[in-house]
Amino acid sequence: MFERPQTGDRALLVRLGIGTPATEEELEEFRSLAHSAGAVTLGLIGGNRRVPDPRFYVGTGKAEEIRDQVEQLKADVVIFDHALSPSQERNLEALLKCRVLDRTGLILDIFAQRARSFEGKLQVELAQLKHLSTRLVRGWTHLERQKGGIGLRGPGETQLETDRRLLGVRIKNLNARLDKVITQRETTRQDRKRNGIPTVALVGYTNAGKSTLFNRLTGASAYAADQLFATLDPTLRRIELPDARFALLADTVGFVRELPHELVAAFRSTLQEARESTLLLHVVDAADPDHVARIAQVNSVLEEVGAGQLPQIEVFNKCDLVAEPGRIELDEQGQARRIWLSARTGEGTDLLVAAMGKFLGPTIAQCRIRLNPSLGASQGRARARLYAVGAVRHEVATESGEIELDVTMPALALEQLCRSEGIPPTMLEFG
């Protein structure tokens, strides 16, 4: 009988090349994932196969080699950089006599450590339970066979069904709670849309420097570290643009090669910030030798979540590490296509702010609004709403009792506000 150990972080890593050999970049990313999860890496076993083995994924000979290494190094867990089927995990654990974790389980563990918000924790738990629901039999191997004879008929199937039922109930409750959170987020987004406040989302491969750039542009103190998935929960902050304009900047979860589909599905509401944005800033690690493939992988995930058609500017970060100056590259229409900068030193970030201001410029209106409180309560409500969205730059009370407000705000929001509060065009002076 094999009892799965529940503790220990001494890990042996396994990464095969299926069809083609694994690249050094893929191996390094795998090591970084294991390190981000808190694993103490004892070694990495590689190899090549034309197709995965249906029983062990790695083949019988390679599985026995892994078992010998587990015994020699006293590993607590073997982590595969592949998606294993439930039966493959069970067969490997029976042979290796230790815990076996696949790529999906590893990323889920990292996400569980990083989640801070209520929504993030719900999403991680939901993804974990859905992943676990297909692997319950593995945890009950000591009870799954019904034995013959008096006193030997095990209750395994009954316990298994009980666990499945409890998991189903918990998943149903989590989905219901997430639906409420998603509804609240959608209400907030609709309010921003009504006020015409543009949103710019930072997207990109994990560890490309999105959070560092976010902090540099907004003056925030979001957690940033040289590790994969340092940021999980979306963060929004106001960013000042040229001519006293502003937008909201969203820092989103980073993407990764072969991001498990259940994670994409679980974090669809989080990635909604990217899907509903006016502009995407695609942050690229300029020092990554495989950055071309990373760009393609990020764009693939954006397509999957419905954000593939949004306008984007490629932001090549860490230009200081590749001895490139901060600069801006334009397309045929004169719009920014690519910007080289360093979020760490700040070089080139002014070019990015200017490019965002130019892109969002047509949606911003600057005018003077004359309000007359004697005409009704709508005049006071309009003034309060303008202050609430931070649109008022200057206010002057005239001798006739009118209030003159110098306003800078999205044109659509100004039009909607004037319509809802009954402010005629004669009270607006553009210039």
Side-chain angles (χ1 to χ4, degrees), residues 29 103 203-210 228 253-258 282-285 288 293-295 297-298:
E29 180 185 278
R103 182 181 178 85
V203 298
Y205 210 77
T206 183
N207 208 30
K210 295 184 301 299
L228 303 188
V253 62
F255 303 148
V256 72
R257 174 181 55 85
E258 298 175 19
H282 184 164
V283 184
V284 180
D285 184 352
D288 185 350
R294 302 286 188 252
I295 293 174
Q297 289 155 359
V298 170

mmCIF file with all atom_site columns, all heavy atoms in Angstrom, residues 29 103 203-210 228 253-258 282-285 288 293-295 297-298:
data_model
loop_
_atom_site.group_PDB
_atom_site.id
_atom_site.type_symbol
_atom_site.label_atom_id
_atom_site.label_alt_id
_atom_site.label_comp_id
_atom_site.label_asym_id
_atom_site.label_entity_id
_atom_site.label_seq_id
_atom_site.pdbx_PDB_ins_code
_atom_site.Cartn_x
_atom_site.Cartn_y
_atom_site.Cartn_z
_atom_site.occupancy
_atom_site.B_iso_or_equiv
_atom_site.pdbx_formal_charge
_atom_site.auth_seq_id
_atom_site.auth_comp_id
_atom_site.auth_asym_id
_atom_site.auth_atom_id
_atom_site.pdbx_PDB_model_num
ATOM 1   N N   . GLU A 1 29  ? 12.717 28.065 -18.260 1.00 0.00 ? 29  GLU A N   1
ATOM 2   C CA  . GLU A 1 29  ? 11.397 28.487 -17.791 1.00 0.00 ? 29  GLU A CA  1
ATOM 3   C C   . GLU A 1 29  ? 10.820 27.464 -16.821 1.00 0.00 ? 29  GLU A C   1
ATOM 4   O O   . GLU A 1 29  ? 10.204 27.832 -15.803 1.00 0.00 ? 29  GLU A O   1
ATOM 5   C CB  . GLU A 1 29  ? 10.453 28.674 -18.969 1.00 0.00 ? 29  GLU A CB  1
ATOM 6   C CG  . GLU A 1 29  ? 9.051  29.120 -18.545 1.00 0.00 ? 29  GLU A CG  1
ATOM 7   C CD  . GLU A 1 29  ? 8.093  29.186 -19.709 1.00 0.00 ? 29  GLU A CD  1
ATOM 8   O OE1 . GLU A 1 29  ? 8.115  30.203 -20.418 1.00 0.00 ? 29  GLU A OE1 1
ATOM 9   O OE2 . GLU A 1 29  ? 7.323  28.222 -19.908 1.00 0.00 ? 29  GLU A OE2 1
ATOM 10  N N   . ARG A 1 103 ? 2.431  19.875 -15.101 1.00 0.00 ? 103 ARG A N   1
ATOM 11  C CA  . ARG A 1 103 ? 2.595  21.309 -15.341 1.00 0.00 ? 103 ARG A CA  1
ATOM 12  C C   . ARG A 1 103 ? 1.385  22.101 -14.857 1.00 0.00 ? 103 ARG A C   1
ATOM 13  O O   . ARG A 1 103 ? 1.535  23.164 -14.236 1.00 0.00 ? 103 ARG A O   1
ATOM 14  C CB  . ARG A 1 103 ? 2.823  21.557 -16.837 1.00 0.00 ? 103 ARG A CB  1
ATOM 15  C CG  . ARG A 1 103 ? 3.052  23.023 -17.193 1.00 0.00 ? 103 ARG A CG  1
ATOM 16  C CD  . ARG A 1 103 ? 3.255  23.191 -18.685 1.00 0.00 ? 103 ARG A CD  1
ATOM 17  N NE  . ARG A 1 103 ? 3.420  24.601 -19.044 1.00 0.00 ? 103 ARG A NE  1
ATOM 18  C CZ  . ARG A 1 103 ? 4.562  25.263 -19.012 1.00 0.00 ? 103 ARG A CZ  1
ATOM 19  N NH1 . ARG A 1 103 ? 5.663  24.664 -18.621 1.00 0.00 ? 103 ARG A NH1 1
ATOM 20  N NH2 . ARG A 1 103 ? 4.626  26.539 -19.364 1.00 0.00 ? 103 ARG A NH2 1
ATOM 21  N N   . VAL A 1 203 ? -0.359 43.828 -20.900 1.00 0.00 ? 203 VAL A N   1
ATOM 22  C CA  . VAL A 1 203 ? -0.386 42.382 -21.110 1.00 0.00 ? 203 VAL A CA  1
ATOM 23  C C   . VAL A 1 203 ? 1.006  41.948 -21.525 1.00 0.00 ? 203 VAL A C   1
ATOM 24  O O   . VAL A 1 203 ? 1.844  42.766 -21.929 1.00 0.00 ? 203 VAL A O   1
ATOM 25  C CB  . VAL A 1 203 ? -1.420 41.976 -22.181 1.00 0.00 ? 203 VAL A CB  1
ATOM 26  C CG1 . VAL A 1 203 ? -2.826 42.361 -21.761 1.00 0.00 ? 203 VAL A CG1 1
ATOM 27  C CG2 . VAL A 1 203 ? -1.085 42.610 -23.537 1.00 0.00 ? 203 VAL A CG2 1
ATOM 28  N N   . GLY A 1 204 ? 1.270  40.658 -21.437 1.00 0.00 ? 204 GLY A N   1
ATOM 29  C CA  . GLY A 1 204 ? 2.576  40.171 -21.849 1.00 0.00 ? 204 GLY A CA  1
ATOM 30  C C   . GLY A 1 204 ? 2.932  38.876 -21.158 1.00 0.00 ? 204 GLY A C   1
ATOM 31  O O   . GLY A 1 204 ? 2.199  38.382 -20.289 1.00 0.00 ? 204 GLY A O   1
ATOM 32  N N   . TYR A 1 205 ? 4.057  38.327 -21.556 1.00 0.00 ? 205 TYR A N   1
ATOM 33  C CA  . TYR A 1 205 ? 4.557  37.086 -20.972 1.00 0.00 ? 205 TYR A CA  1
ATOM 34  C C   . TYR A 1 205 ? 4.946  37.343 -19.522 1.00 0.00 ? 205 TYR A C   1
ATOM 35  O O   . TYR A 1 205 ? 5.329  38.453 -19.149 1.00 0.00 ? 205 TYR A O   1
ATOM 36  C CB  . TYR A 1 205 ? 5.766  36.606 -21.760 1.00 0.00 ? 205 TYR A CB  1
ATOM 37  C CG  . TYR A 1 205 ? 5.947  35.109 -21.768 1.00 0.00 ? 205 TYR A CG  1
ATOM 38  C CD1 . TYR A 1 205 ? 5.171  34.302 -22.580 1.00 0.00 ? 205 TYR A CD1 1
ATOM 39  C CD2 . TYR A 1 205 ? 6.898  34.505 -20.962 1.00 0.00 ? 205 TYR A CD2 1
ATOM 40  C CE1 . TYR A 1 205 ? 5.331  32.925 -22.593 1.00 0.00 ? 205 TYR A CE1 1
ATOM 41  C CE2 . TYR A 1 205 ? 7.079  33.125 -20.970 1.00 0.00 ? 205 TYR A CE2 1
ATOM 42  C CZ  . TYR A 1 205 ? 6.299  32.344 -21.792 1.00 0.00 ? 205 TYR A CZ  1
ATOM 43  O OH  . TYR A 1 205 ? 6.466  30.971 -21.792 1.00 0.00 ? 205 TYR A OH  1
ATOM 44  N N   . THR A 1 206 ? 4.795  36.332 -18.698 1.00 0.00 ? 206 THR A N   1
ATOM 45  C CA  . THR A 1 206 ? 5.135  36.501 -17.294 1.00 0.00 ? 206 THR A CA  1
ATOM 46  C C   . THR A 1 206 ? 6.604  36.866 -17.129 1.00 0.00 ? 206 THR A C   1
ATOM 47  O O   . THR A 1 206 ? 7.466  36.384 -17.884 1.00 0.00 ? 206 THR A O   1
ATOM 48  C CB  . THR A 1 206 ? 4.811  35.221 -16.494 1.00 0.00 ? 206 THR A CB  1
ATOM 49  O OG1 . THR A 1 206 ? 5.084  35.436 -15.102 1.00 0.00 ? 206 THR A OG1 1
ATOM 50  C CG2 . THR A 1 206 ? 5.601  34.034 -16.981 1.00 0.00 ? 206 THR A CG2 1
ATOM 51  N N   . ASN A 1 207 ? 6.881  37.735 -16.184 1.00 0.00 ? 207 ASN A N   1
ATOM 52  C CA  . ASN A 1 207 ? 8.229  38.203 -15.861 1.00 0.00 ? 207 ASN A CA  1
ATOM 53  C C   . ASN A 1 207 ? 8.827  39.105 -16.944 1.00 0.00 ? 207 ASN A C   1
ATOM 54  O O   . ASN A 1 207 ? 10.044 39.243 -17.044 1.00 0.00 ? 207 ASN A O   1
ATOM 55  C CB  . ASN A 1 207 ? 9.193  37.024 -15.602 1.00 0.00 ? 207 ASN A CB  1
ATOM 56  C CG  . ASN A 1 207 ? 10.315 37.407 -14.648 1.00 0.00 ? 207 ASN A CG  1
ATOM 57  O OD1 . ASN A 1 207 ? 10.144 38.258 -13.789 1.00 0.00 ? 207 ASN A OD1 1
ATOM 58  N ND2 . ASN A 1 207 ? 11.466 36.779 -14.798 1.00 0.00 ? 207 ASN A ND2 1
ATOM 59  N N   . ALA A 1 208 ? 7.954  39.733 -17.743 1.00 0.00 ? 208 ALA A N   1
ATOM 60  C CA  . ALA A 1 208 ? 8.445  40.670 -18.762 1.00 0.00 ? 208 ALA A CA  1
ATOM 61  C C   . ALA A 1 208 ? 8.663  42.061 -18.179 1.00 0.00 ? 208 ALA A C   1
ATOM 62  O O   . ALA A 1 208 ? 9.237  42.921 -18.844 1.00 0.00 ? 208 ALA A O   1
ATOM 63  C CB  . ALA A 1 208 ? 7.467  40.745 -19.929 1.00 0.00 ? 208 ALA A CB  1
ATOM 64  N N   . GLY A 1 209 ? 8.197  42.298 -16.939 1.00 0.00 ? 209 GLY A N   1
ATOM 65  C CA  . GLY A 1 209 ? 8.388  43.600 -16.302 1.00 0.00 ? 209 GLY A CA  1
ATOM 66  C C   . GLY A 1 209 ? 7.141  44.455 -16.290 1.00 0.00 ? 209 GLY A C   1
ATOM 67  O O   . GLY A 1 209 ? 7.225  45.676 -16.148 1.00 0.00 ? 209 GLY A O   1
ATOM 68  N N   . LYS A 1 210 ? 5.963  43.837 -16.397 1.00 0.00 ? 210 LYS A N   1
ATOM 69  C CA  . LYS A 1 210 ? 4.716  44.609 -16.436 1.00 0.00 ? 210 LYS A CA  1
ATOM 70  C C   . LYS A 1 210 ? 4.482  45.372 -15.139 1.00 0.00 ? 210 LYS A C   1
ATOM 71  O O   . LYS A 1 210 ? 4.104  46.548 -15.161 1.00 0.00 ? 210 LYS A O   1
ATOM 72  C CB  . LYS A 1 210 ? 3.525  43.671 -16.707 1.00 0.00 ? 210 LYS A CB  1
ATOM 73  C CG  . LYS A 1 210 ? 3.548  43.012 -18.077 1.00 0.00 ? 210 LYS A CG  1
ATOM 74  C CD  . LYS A 1 210 ? 2.302  42.188 -18.331 1.00 0.00 ? 210 LYS A CD  1
ATOM 75  C CE  . LYS A 1 210 ? 2.108  41.087 -17.315 1.00 0.00 ? 210 LYS A CE  1
ATOM 76  N NZ  . LYS A 1 210 ? 3.229  40.121 -17.304 1.00 0.00 ? 210 LYS A NZ  1
ATOM 77  N N   . LEU A 1 228 ? 8.239  34.256 -11.850 1.00 0.00 ? 228 LEU A N   1
ATOM 78  C CA  . LEU A 1 228 ? 7.075  34.035 -12.701 1.00 0.00 ? 228 LEU A CA  1
ATOM 79  C C   . LEU A 1 228 ? 5.795  34.222 -11.901 1.00 0.00 ? 228 LEU A C   1
ATOM 80  O O   . LEU A 1 228 ? 5.702  33.813 -10.746 1.00 0.00 ? 228 LEU A O   1
ATOM 81  C CB  . LEU A 1 228 ? 7.115  32.631 -13.306 1.00 0.00 ? 228 LEU A CB  1
ATOM 82  C CG  . LEU A 1 228 ? 8.361  32.281 -14.124 1.00 0.00 ? 228 LEU A CG  1
ATOM 83  C CD1 . LEU A 1 228 ? 8.181  30.937 -14.823 1.00 0.00 ? 228 LEU A CD1 1
ATOM 84  C CD2 . LEU A 1 228 ? 8.666  33.355 -15.138 1.00 0.00 ? 228 LEU A CD2 1
ATOM 85  N N   . VAL A 1 253 ? -2.570 39.525 -15.138 1.00 0.00 ? 253 VAL A N   1
ATOM 86  C CA  . VAL A 1 253 ? -1.752 38.331 -14.927 1.00 0.00 ? 253 VAL A CA  1
ATOM 87  C C   . VAL A 1 253 ? -0.923 38.053 -16.175 1.00 0.00 ? 253 VAL A C   1
ATOM 88  O O   . VAL A 1 253 ? -1.371 38.267 -17.302 1.00 0.00 ? 253 VAL A O   1
ATOM 89  C CB  . VAL A 1 253 ? -2.649 37.120 -14.587 1.00 0.00 ? 253 VAL A CB  1
ATOM 90  C CG1 . VAL A 1 253 ? -3.602 36.805 -15.727 1.00 0.00 ? 253 VAL A CG1 1
ATOM 91  C CG2 . VAL A 1 253 ? -1.818 35.894 -14.251 1.00 0.00 ? 253 VAL A CG2 1
ATOM 92  N N   . GLY A 1 254 ? 0.307  37.602 -15.956 1.00 0.00 ? 254 GLY A N   1
ATOM 93  C CA  . GLY A 1 254 ? 1.176  37.286 -17.085 1.00 0.00 ? 254 GLY A CA  1
ATOM 94  C C   . GLY A 1 254 ? 0.804  35.959 -17.729 1.00 0.00 ? 254 GLY A C   1
ATOM 95  O O   . GLY A 1 254 ? 0.215  35.081 -17.101 1.00 0.00 ? 254 GLY A O   1
ATOM 96  N N   . PHE A 1 255 ? 1.159  35.822 -19.004 1.00 0.00 ? 255 PHE A N   1
ATOM 97  C CA  . PHE A 1 255 ? 0.894  34.591 -19.724 1.00 0.00 ? 255 PHE A CA  1
ATOM 98  C C   . PHE A 1 255 ? 2.152  33.730 -19.707 1.00 0.00 ? 255 PHE A C   1
ATOM 99  O O   . PHE A 1 255 ? 3.235  34.193 -19.366 1.00 0.00 ? 255 PHE A O   1
ATOM 100 C CB  . PHE A 1 255 ? 0.481  34.873 -21.166 1.00 0.00 ? 255 PHE A CB  1
ATOM 101 C CG  . PHE A 1 255 ? -0.729 35.779 -21.266 1.00 0.00 ? 255 PHE A CG  1
ATOM 102 C CD1 . PHE A 1 255 ? -0.875 36.653 -22.320 1.00 0.00 ? 255 PHE A CD1 1
ATOM 103 C CD2 . PHE A 1 255 ? -1.709 35.767 -20.280 1.00 0.00 ? 255 PHE A CD2 1
ATOM 104 C CE1 . PHE A 1 255 ? -1.982 37.493 -22.414 1.00 0.00 ? 255 PHE A CE1 1
ATOM 105 C CE2 . PHE A 1 255 ? -2.812 36.598 -20.360 1.00 0.00 ? 255 PHE A CE2 1
ATOM 106 C CZ  . PHE A 1 255 ? -2.944 37.465 -21.431 1.00 0.00 ? 255 PHE A CZ  1
ATOM 107 N N   . VAL A 1 256 ? 1.982  32.490 -20.106 1.00 0.00 ? 256 VAL A N   1
ATOM 108 C CA  . VAL A 1 256 ? 3.104  31.563 -20.105 1.00 0.00 ? 256 VAL A CA  1
ATOM 109 C C   . VAL A 1 256 ? 2.872  30.526 -21.194 1.00 0.00 ? 256 VAL A C   1
ATOM 110 O O   . VAL A 1 256 ? 1.735  30.319 -21.634 1.00 0.00 ? 256 VAL A O   1
ATOM 111 C CB  . VAL A 1 256 ? 3.261  30.880 -18.714 1.00 0.00 ? 256 VAL A CB  1
ATOM 112 C CG1 . VAL A 1 256 ? 2.154  29.865 -18.474 1.00 0.00 ? 256 VAL A CG1 1
ATOM 113 C CG2 . VAL A 1 256 ? 4.629  30.228 -18.559 1.00 0.00 ? 256 VAL A CG2 1
ATOM 114 N N   . ARG A 1 257 ? 3.947  29.901 -21.642 1.00 0.00 ? 257 ARG A N   1
ATOM 115 C CA  . ARG A 1 257 ? 3.838  28.841 -22.657 1.00 0.00 ? 257 ARG A CA  1
ATOM 116 C C   . ARG A 1 257 ? 2.938  27.718 -22.163 1.00 0.00 ? 257 ARG A C   1
ATOM 117 O O   . ARG A 1 257 ? 3.041  27.280 -21.028 1.00 0.00 ? 257 ARG A O   1
ATOM 118 C CB  . ARG A 1 257 ? 5.247  28.297 -22.949 1.00 0.00 ? 257 ARG A CB  1
ATOM 119 C CG  . ARG A 1 257 ? 5.303  27.088 -23.872 1.00 0.00 ? 257 ARG A CG  1
ATOM 120 C CD  . ARG A 1 257 ? 6.753  26.635 -24.054 1.00 0.00 ? 257 ARG A CD  1
ATOM 121 N NE  . ARG A 1 257 ? 7.401  26.384 -22.773 1.00 0.00 ? 257 ARG A NE  1
ATOM 122 C CZ  . ARG A 1 257 ? 7.322  25.220 -22.115 1.00 0.00 ? 257 ARG A CZ  1
ATOM 123 N NH1 . ARG A 1 257 ? 6.612  24.236 -22.604 1.00 0.00 ? 257 ARG A NH1 1
ATOM 124 N NH2 . ARG A 1 257 ? 7.956  25.077 -20.973 1.00 0.00 ? 257 ARG A NH2 1
ATOM 125 N N   . GLU A 1 258 ? 2.055  27.261 -23.027 1.00 0.00 ? 258 GLU A N   1
ATOM 126 C CA  . GLU A 1 258 ? 1.153  26.157 -22.704 1.00 0.00 ? 258 GLU A CA  1
ATOM 127 C C   . GLU A 1 258 ? 0.358  26.446 -21.429 1.00 0.00 ? 258 GLU A C   1
ATOM 128 O O   . GLU A 1 258 ? 0.252  25.610 -20.535 1.00 0.00 ? 258 GLU A O   1
ATOM 129 C CB  . GLU A 1 258 ? 1.927  24.844 -22.545 1.00 0.00 ? 258 GLU A CB  1
ATOM 130 C CG  . GLU A 1 258 ? 2.649  24.405 -23.802 1.00 0.00 ? 258 GLU A CG  1
ATOM 131 C CD  . GLU A 1 258 ? 3.512  23.176 -23.599 1.00 0.00 ? 258 GLU A CD  1
ATOM 132 O OE1 . GLU A 1 258 ? 3.288  22.442 -22.612 1.00 0.00 ? 258 GLU A OE1 1
ATOM 133 O OE2 . GLU A 1 258 ? 4.429  22.963 -24.396 1.00 0.00 ? 258 GLU A OE2 1
ATOM 134 N N   . HIS A 1 282 ? 1.506  45.750 -24.984 1.00 0.00 ? 282 HIS A N   1
ATOM 135 C CA  . HIS A 1 282 ? 2.074  44.396 -24.986 1.00 0.00 ? 282 HIS A CA  1
ATOM 136 C C   . HIS A 1 282 ? 3.536  44.490 -24.561 1.00 0.00 ? 282 HIS A C   1
ATOM 137 O O   . HIS A 1 282 ? 4.403  44.859 -25.348 1.00 0.00 ? 282 HIS A O   1
ATOM 138 C CB  . HIS A 1 282 ? 1.934  43.786 -26.376 1.00 0.00 ? 282 HIS A CB  1
ATOM 139 C CG  . HIS A 1 282 ? 2.396  42.361 -26.466 1.00 0.00 ? 282 HIS A CG  1
ATOM 140 N ND1 . HIS A 1 282 ? 2.065  41.532 -27.518 1.00 0.00 ? 282 HIS A ND1 1
ATOM 141 C CD2 . HIS A 1 282 ? 3.151  41.607 -25.648 1.00 0.00 ? 282 HIS A CD2 1
ATOM 142 C CE1 . HIS A 1 282 ? 2.603  40.347 -27.327 1.00 0.00 ? 282 HIS A CE1 1
ATOM 143 N NE2 . HIS A 1 282 ? 3.281  40.381 -26.203 1.00 0.00 ? 282 HIS A NE2 1
ATOM 144 N N   . VAL A 1 283 ? 3.808  44.185 -23.285 1.00 0.00 ? 283 VAL A N   1
ATOM 145 C CA  . VAL A 1 283 ? 5.151  44.315 -22.729 1.00 0.00 ? 283 VAL A CA  1
ATOM 146 C C   . VAL A 1 283 ? 5.982  43.088 -23.104 1.00 0.00 ? 283 VAL A C   1
ATOM 147 O O   . VAL A 1 283 ? 5.573  41.948 -22.851 1.00 0.00 ? 283 VAL A O   1
ATOM 148 C CB  . VAL A 1 283 ? 5.103  44.492 -21.201 1.00 0.00 ? 283 VAL A CB  1
ATOM 149 C CG1 . VAL A 1 283 ? 6.513  44.715 -20.650 1.00 0.00 ? 283 VAL A CG1 1
ATOM 150 C CG2 . VAL A 1 283 ? 4.204  45.669 -20.830 1.00 0.00 ? 283 VAL A CG2 1
ATOM 151 N N   . VAL A 1 284 ? 7.143  43.328 -23.700 1.00 0.00 ? 284 VAL A N   1
ATOM 152 C CA  . VAL A 1 284 ? 8.033  42.269 -24.175 1.00 0.00 ? 284 VAL A CA  1
ATOM 153 C C   . VAL A 1 284 ? 9.379  42.406 -23.476 1.00 0.00 ? 284 VAL A C   1
ATOM 154 O O   . VAL A 1 284 ? 9.887  43.520 -23.322 1.00 0.00 ? 284 VAL A O   1
ATOM 155 C CB  . VAL A 1 284 ? 8.219  42.355 -25.704 1.00 0.00 ? 284 VAL A CB  1
ATOM 156 C CG1 . VAL A 1 284 ? 9.148  41.252 -26.203 1.00 0.00 ? 284 VAL A CG1 1
ATOM 157 C CG2 . VAL A 1 284 ? 6.877  42.303 -26.420 1.00 0.00 ? 284 VAL A CG2 1
ATOM 158 N N   . ASP A 1 285 ? 9.946  41.292 -23.037 1.00 0.00 ? 285 ASP A N   1
ATOM 159 C CA  . ASP A 1 285 ? 11.283 41.289 -22.452 1.00 0.00 ? 285 ASP A CA  1
ATOM 160 C C   . ASP A 1 285 ? 12.295 41.332 -23.588 1.00 0.00 ? 285 ASP A C   1
ATOM 161 O O   . ASP A 1 285 ? 12.552 40.321 -24.252 1.00 0.00 ? 285 ASP A O   1
ATOM 162 C CB  . ASP A 1 285 ? 11.476 40.027 -21.606 1.00 0.00 ? 285 ASP A CB  1
ATOM 163 C CG  . ASP A 1 285 ? 12.818 40.002 -20.887 1.00 0.00 ? 285 ASP A CG  1
ATOM 164 O OD1 . ASP A 1 285 ? 13.662 40.881 -21.165 1.00 0.00 ? 285 ASP A OD1 1
ATOM 165 O OD2 . ASP A 1 285 ? 13.036 39.105 -20.046 1.00 0.00 ? 285 ASP A OD2 1
ATOM 166 N N   . ASP A 1 288 ? 15.107 38.772 -23.644 1.00 0.00 ? 288 ASP A N   1
ATOM 167 C CA  . ASP A 1 288 ? 14.777 37.355 -23.800 1.00 0.00 ? 288 ASP A CA  1
ATOM 168 C C   . ASP A 1 288 ? 15.127 36.928 -25.222 1.00 0.00 ? 288 ASP A C   1
ATOM 169 O O   . ASP A 1 288 ? 14.565 37.453 -26.191 1.00 0.00 ? 288 ASP A O   1
ATOM 170 C CB  . ASP A 1 288 ? 13.286 37.148 -23.543 1.00 0.00 ? 288 ASP A CB  1
ATOM 171 C CG  . ASP A 1 288 ? 12.886 35.675 -23.569 1.00 0.00 ? 288 ASP A CG  1
ATOM 172 O OD1 . ASP A 1 288 ? 13.710 34.836 -23.975 1.00 0.00 ? 288 ASP A OD1 1
ATOM 173 O OD2 . ASP A 1 288 ? 11.743 35.364 -23.183 1.00 0.00 ? 288 ASP A OD2 1
ATOM 174 N N   . ALA A 1 293 ? 8.905  34.235 -30.099 1.00 0.00 ? 293 ALA A N   1
ATOM 175 C CA  . ALA A 1 293 ? 7.947  33.169 -29.763 1.00 0.00 ? 293 ALA A CA  1
ATOM 176 C C   . ALA A 1 293 ? 7.041  33.602 -28.624 1.00 0.00 ? 293 ALA A C   1
ATOM 177 O O   . ALA A 1 293 ? 5.846  33.265 -28.602 1.00 0.00 ? 293 ALA A O   1
ATOM 178 C CB  . ALA A 1 293 ? 8.702  31.890 -29.391 1.00 0.00 ? 293 ALA A CB  1
ATOM 179 N N   . ARG A 1 294 ? 7.578  34.360 -27.676 1.00 0.00 ? 294 ARG A N   1
ATOM 180 C CA  . ARG A 1 294 ? 6.769  34.840 -26.547 1.00 0.00 ? 294 ARG A CA  1
ATOM 181 C C   . ARG A 1 294 ? 5.647  35.764 -27.048 1.00 0.00 ? 294 ARG A C   1
ATOM 182 O O   . ARG A 1 294 ? 4.521  35.696 -26.564 1.00 0.00 ? 294 ARG A O   1
ATOM 183 C CB  . ARG A 1 294 ? 7.651  35.599 -25.557 1.00 0.00 ? 294 ARG A CB  1
ATOM 184 C CG  . ARG A 1 294 ? 8.812  34.804 -24.978 1.00 0.00 ? 294 ARG A CG  1
ATOM 185 C CD  . ARG A 1 294 ? 8.329  33.806 -23.954 1.00 0.00 ? 294 ARG A CD  1
ATOM 186 N NE  . ARG A 1 294 ? 9.441  33.181 -23.285 1.00 0.00 ? 294 ARG A NE  1
ATOM 187 C CZ  . ARG A 1 294 ? 9.822  31.902 -23.472 1.00 0.00 ? 294 ARG A CZ  1
ATOM 188 N NH1 . ARG A 1 294 ? 9.148  31.147 -24.334 1.00 0.00 ? 294 ARG A NH1 1
ATOM 189 N NH2 . ARG A 1 294 ? 10.836 31.395 -22.821 1.00 0.00 ? 294 ARG A NH2 1
ATOM 190 N N   . ILE A 1 295 ? 5.975  36.625 -27.998 1.00 0.00 ? 295 ILE A N   1
ATOM 191 C CA  . ILE A 1 295 ? 4.964  37.530 -28.557 1.00 0.00 ? 295 ILE A CA  1
ATOM 192 C C   . ILE A 1 295 ? 3.836  36.726 -29.182 1.00 0.00 ? 295 ILE A C   1
ATOM 193 O O   . ILE A 1 295 ? 2.644  37.013 -28.979 1.00 0.00 ? 295 ILE A O   1
ATOM 194 C CB  . ILE A 1 295 ? 5.606  38.483 -29.588 1.00 0.00 ? 295 ILE A CB  1
ATOM 195 C CG1 . ILE A 1 295 ? 6.575  39.445 -28.891 1.00 0.00 ? 295 ILE A CG1 1
ATOM 196 C CG2 . ILE A 1 295 ? 4.539  39.258 -30.337 1.00 0.00 ? 295 ILE A CG2 1
ATOM 197 C CD1 . ILE A 1 295 ? 7.368  40.315 -29.854 1.00 0.00 ? 295 ILE A CD1 1
ATOM 198 N N   . GLN A 1 297 ? 2.932  33.665 -28.475 1.00 0.00 ? 297 GLN A N   1
ATOM 199 C CA  . GLN A 1 297 ? 2.174  32.944 -27.447 1.00 0.00 ? 297 GLN A CA  1
ATOM 200 C C   . GLN A 1 297 ? 1.198  33.870 -26.736 1.00 0.00 ? 297 GLN A C   1
ATOM 201 O O   . GLN A 1 297 ? 0.056  33.495 -26.444 1.00 0.00 ? 297 GLN A O   1
ATOM 202 C CB  . GLN A 1 297 ? 3.145  32.299 -26.450 1.00 0.00 ? 297 GLN A CB  1
ATOM 203 C CG  . GLN A 1 297 ? 3.902  31.117 -27.039 1.00 0.00 ? 297 GLN A CG  1
ATOM 204 C CD  . GLN A 1 297 ? 5.233  30.859 -26.363 1.00 0.00 ? 297 GLN A CD  1
ATOM 205 O OE1 . GLN A 1 297 ? 5.642  31.567 -25.435 1.00 0.00 ? 297 GLN A OE1 1
ATOM 206 N NE2 . GLN A 1 297 ? 5.947  29.852 -26.828 1.00 0.00 ? 297 GLN A NE2 1
ATOM 207 N N   . VAL A 1 298 ? 1.614  35.106 -26.451 1.00 0.00 ? 298 VAL A N   1
ATOM 208 C CA  . VAL A 1 298 ? 0.722  36.070 -25.807 1.00 0.00 ? 298 VAL A CA  1
ATOM 209 C C   . VAL A 1 298 ? -0.443 36.413 -26.726 1.00 0.00 ? 298 VAL A C   1
ATOM 210 O O   . VAL A 1 298 ? -1.602 36.446 -26.303 1.00 0.00 ? 298 VAL A O   1
ATOM 211 C CB  . VAL A 1 298 ? 1.499  37.343 -25.404 1.00 0.00 ? 298 VAL A CB  1
ATOM 212 C CG1 . VAL A 1 298 ? 0.532  38.442 -24.963 1.00 0.00 ? 298 VAL A CG1 1
ATOM 213 C CG2 . VAL A 1 298 ? 2.485  37.037 -24.288 1.00 0.00 ? 298 VAL A CG2 1
#
